[in-house]
Structure formats: C-alpha cells, structure tokens
Amino acid sequence: MNVDLLPHVGVGAYRLGMPVEEARAEAQQWGRPSARSKSEAEPGQIVITHDESEMNIVLGFTKRVLTHIEVWRFRNEEADVHVTLEGLDVFRIPSEELQERLEARGHTVEENDMGFDAVPDLKMIFSNASSYEYPTDSEGWPLYYDYVLVAEQIA
C-alpha cells in the first residue's frame, strides 16, 4: 500500500478543504473509521485504522471542512506500507537521513525542543511522538519518524 503525502493538498485521497461527508465516504473505503466529537454530523476528528498495517490516519475538521491530516506510523513492521513525500519513504528512512535529504532538496527543517521537526514551506510537521515500541538506534532513540502532520497552516 502506498500513501502519498501531498504538501498543500492532502494525504492520498484525502484533500484539505474536503467536506466531512466526502472524507467520511473515503474513510469507509480505506479502513475502520470512528468519529471523535459530540456530534456525528460535525466531527472534530475522524480516526481511521488500517487493520492489516495497524496504521492510523486522523482527519481533523473545522466547520465541517478538512483542515489537517495526521498520519501515524504503522505498527506492523512487516506490512507492505510506504508513506512517501517526494518519493521519500518517511517512515522507513531514518529520521536524521530524511532531514538531510529534505534539506538537500531545498526544504528547511526546523527542529524544536519538544521533538517536533517542522518543514514550513511544505506546511508539514514530523515527530517521534509515540510511546509505542518502534525500532530504535544503538542509543535507544527512535530510528524513524512515527508521525507526520499535513495542514493548511502550522504554527
């Protein structure tokens, strides 16, 4: 399974600006969706779990319009899943190498003390935010990013 990160556009078939009804219909095709909100008609988020890979996509809405998409790394390391940005597999290339490759392509990667790495021109944020037991380097640090945010705006 290939999932493309499309800066300023969306993730796979999910498009920023997409109405909640379209996003919900697409979610039914991709995985097991559940809404997080007080109202099914106006969700704050729809969380989609892909059963085979155990990967989550979180669709975030403001006023019934898709404004941001979070992709959480698959938990099944054997799954044939590739989440790509400009042809780079963001969850399988070590995070330090991915930063270098993005910078070599002219993108500035801004690191902060909270563990989030922003790529402002792409309006994306990468992180090793999970407590899940993902692969680590020789010092015990997460080897790969496990989270990416694609948004209309990043702070």
Side-chain angles (χ1 to χ4, degrees), residues 54-73:
E54 298 178 50
M55 183 169 79
N56 288 328
I57 292 181
V58 180
L59 308 175
F61 299 90
T62 302
K63 298 182 181 178
R64 303 181 51 76
V65 174
L66 185 59
T67 56
H68 63 277
I69 305 163
E70 301 173 33
V71 182
W72 291 87
R73 190 176 193 274

Side-chain angles (χ1 to χ4, degrees), residues 65-147:
V65 174
L66 185 59
T67 56
H68 63 277
I69 305 163
E70 301 173 33
V71 182
W72 291 87
R73 190 176 193 274
F74 46 89
R75 291 185 179 188
N76 177 359
E77 293 296 323
E78 304 303 316
D80 186 22
V81 177
H82 303 279
V83 178
T84 60
L85 170 64
E86 298 179 356
L88 302 172
D89 195 331
V90 301
F91 292 149
R92 293 193 188 272
I93 296 174
S95 54
E96 288 182 18
E97 180 183 340
L98 182 62
Q99 283 182 18
E100 292 169 4
R101 291 174 76 174
L102 288 171
E103 288 173 341
R105 293 176 180 207
H107 304 294
T108 299
V109 178
E110 298 176 352
E111 298 179 46
N112 73 21
D113 294 335
M114 302 297 289
F116 295 97
D117 299 330
V119 185
D121 67 314
L122 300 179
K123 295 200 177 10
M124 300 177 85
I125 295 176
F126 295 87
S127 179
N128 295 315
S130 173
S131 62
Y132 186 75
E133 296 295 323
Y134 289 118
T136 57
D137 65 16
S138 60
E139 296 176 12
W141 294 101
L143 188 58
Y144 308 106
Y145 286 117
D146 62 11
Y147 168 89

